[in-house]
Amino acid sequence: METGGEDVLVVVDVQRDFCRGGALAVADGDAVVEPVNRLMERFECVVLTQDWHPAGHGSFAGMHAGRSAYKTVELSYGQQTLWPAHCVQGTPGAEFHPELRVDRAQLMVRKGFRAGIDSYSAFRENDRQTATGLAGYLRERGLRRVFLAGLAYDFCVGYSALDARELGLEAWVVTDACRSVGLAGSVAAMDRSLEQAGVGRVTVAELGAE
Ligand code: VGL
Ligand code: ZN
């Protein structure tokens, strides 16, 4: 698969807290760094997202008395999974993985910085209304085909891909450059949603980045 001037690689949340030893470590999360770094070479435009929560964020289990992490609660905007405190603004856990080629990025998008709203998608927060600004950036630059990689497939990568489709963009998930959180049924559910939305699946090798 050839990449060109209308393509953008969106690297989702490759941060310390989602990697080994992190507060919300994704199994084998560190393994995405190498393929993502190689993928970056195939794209003129690379965007990084950074999960960026204030201390005491509403998605943190500790903010909900008697509730535990990885369980769902009802918030003002609907169902929300609770997480251990992670990616707190200015802490080491919120930093990008130290080996990630951040120098290749043309834009970094921070998300989840409003205390009361979580944001899985790089485009839109979990209230499904609050925009991050990424759609406008892509539109102004004429970037119409979005390739996504990073952490985690079943949450931030997947929801970003679904929103890209809703915005009328072509979307491809680079499957072997992602890892999943893997809550009950979350990977299978995201597989189905992505297929229904017409999100493509492609490998690092198919993009010539092996
Ligand atoms: C993510 C849960 C909470 C992700 C971020 O990057 O997939 N998951 N915050
Ligand atoms: Zn988060």
Side-chain angles (χ1 to χ4, degrees), residues 60-96:
F60 296 171
M63 300 303 292
H64 303 264
R67 306 290 180 132
S68 35
Y70 309 108
K71 294 276 175 3
T72 301
V73 290
E74 190 71 25
L75 297 187
S76 58
Y77 53 81
Q79 302 266 91
Q80 170 69 46
T81 302
L82 296 180
W83 305 103
H86 65 279
C87 297
V88 174
Q89 298 171 5
T91 65
E95 291 169 7
F96 290 110

Side-chain angles (χ1 to χ4, degrees), residues 13 18 24 51 53 83 86 118 120 151-152 155-156:
D13 298 359
F18 297 121
L24 179 34
D51 212 35
H53 300 307
W83 305 103
H86 65 279
D118 203 4
Y120 295 152
L151 305 169
F155 288 92
C156 291

Side-chain angles (χ1 to χ4, degrees), residues 124-165:
R124 215 160 39 152
E125 303 194 4
N126 289 11
D127 63 356
R128 315 306 294 149
Q129 290 181 16
T130 307
T132 64
L134 180 58
Y137 178 87
L138 299 188
R139 194 187 324 115
E140 288 201 350
R141 289 199 50 182
L143 299 161
R144 293 172 233 283
R145 201 162 66 152
V146 182
F147 292 80
L148 300 113
L151 305 169
Y153 169 80
D154 42 349
F155 288 92
C156 291
V157 175
Y159 282 106
S160 299
L162 292 173
D163 275 350
R165 293 294 300 136

Side-chain angles (χ1 to χ4, degrees), residues 9 27-39 147-151 153 157 172-180 200-210:
L9 176 66
D28 206 25
D30 306 71
V32 305
V33 175
E34 276 201 13
V36 162
N37 284 345
R38 278 182 272 116
L39 271 176
F147 292 80
L148 300 113
L151 305 169
Y153 169 80
V157 175
W172 294 82
V173 171
V174 189
T175 49
D176 51 346
C178 298
R179 290 295 183 277
S180 300
R201 301 173 79 89
V202 65
T203 64
V204 174
E206 284 165 345
L207 286 166
E210 191 131 79

